[in-house]
Amino acid sequence: MTMPAARVRLATPDDAPALPPVDRSAGELFRSLPELAWLADGAGMPVARHRELIAQGVAWVAVDRDDAPVAFLEAEVFGDELHVWEVSVHRDWQSRGLGRALMTAAAEHAMRAGLAALTLTTFRDVPWNGPFYTRLGFVPIAEPDLSKRLRQVLAHEVAAGLPAARRCAMRQRVMPRR
C-alpha cells in the first residue's frame, strides 16, 4: 500500500505542537552515524519557538490527507536573506520529495518578498544535509565570506556540541521572476 502524497502549506499556530514529534522522528536518521547518533536524543526546539517562527509567516508544513504535519521547514528573515533554521521530515515520509518541496516553498516566498538569498547551516558531509542542499543549488560559503550573523550561528552550534570541522554555512541566490 502506498501512502498518498503530502501537500505543502503555510504553517499555522495550531501546527506547532505536532512539530516536535516530526523533528524527533527525523532525527532518528542520525543513529545511522555513530559519531552523531547522540543528536537523535536531543530535546529539539520548544513548541513556543515553533510558534514564534510560525507567527513570522516563514514556516511551512507538509501535511497528510488529514491535514496533520508530516514535515516542516522554519525560517527567519535577516536583512535580504531568508535563513532556514530547520527542515524535518518524519521517518515514515522520508525520500518522497517533501524536503525539496518545502525548500521550493521557501525559495518561492523569498523571490516574492524580493529577498536576495536563502541561507542555512548544515553538516557538510551528511548525505541528507550538505549534499542534499548542493543538489538544490546551495553553495558553501567560504570562511572569509561569512557574515557576522552566520559566524555567530556556527559558533553557537559548535558551543552546543556540533563538530566545527563538519559544519558549514550555505547560500542559494534567489533569482527574480522576469
Side-chain angles (χ1 to χ4, degrees):
M1 178 175 151
T2 60
M3 297 176 94
R7 69 180 174 84
V8 173
R9 65 166 171 76
L10 207 54
T12 69
D14 290 342
D15 294 322
L19 302 185
V22 170
D23 191 25
R24 281 192 297 278
S25 176
E28 288 294 316
L29 198 49
F30 280 103
R31 293 199 192 281
S32 68
L33 304 171
E35 67 284 5
L36 297 175
W38 61 274
L39 291 170
D41 298 321
M45 195 184 304
V47 171
R49 178 65 174 147
H50 287 291
R51 282 196 174 107
E52 262 179 49
L53 293 169
I54 289 168
Q56 294 178 33
V58 284
W60 294 266
V61 290
V63 295
D64 65 15
R65 67 176 164 214
D66 296 323
D67 203 43
V70 297
F72 68 90
L73 180 153
E74 292 174 324
E76 194 167 5
V77 175
F78 292 94
D80 67 350
E81 296 177 331
L82 180 64
H83 184 78
V84 177
W85 288 114
E86 182 77 31
V87 179
S88 289
V89 179
H90 191 282
R91 274 176 40 180
D92 295 343
W93 288 82
Q94 290 174 0
S95 298
R96 296 170 189 262
L98 297 183
R100 179 180 298 274
L102 289 163
M103 292 299 293
T104 297
E108 288 174 352
H109 170 83
M111 188 178 352
R112 285 190 307 273
L115 301 176
L118 275 74
T119 61
L120 54 82
T121 59
T122 193
F123 286 103
R124 320 176 173 273
D125 57 342
V126 172
W128 60 91
N129 280 200
F132 169 74
Y133 295 119
T134 297
R135 288 191 303 276
L136 295 182
F138 281 79
V139 294
I141 304 169
E143 170 72 25
D145 299 327
L146 286 171
S147 66
K148 180 179 177 184
R149 177 184 65 79
L150 288 172
R151 284 180 199 280
Q152 289 173 337
V153 170
L154 288 166
H156 176 77
E157 292 172 351
V158 170
L162 296 179
R166 296 184 75 177
R167 298 297 290 173
C168 70
M170 300 182 85
R171 174 182 293 119
Q172 179 189 54
R173 299 257 178 231
V174 175
M175 302 307 275
R177 287 202 171 138
R178 293 179 185 215

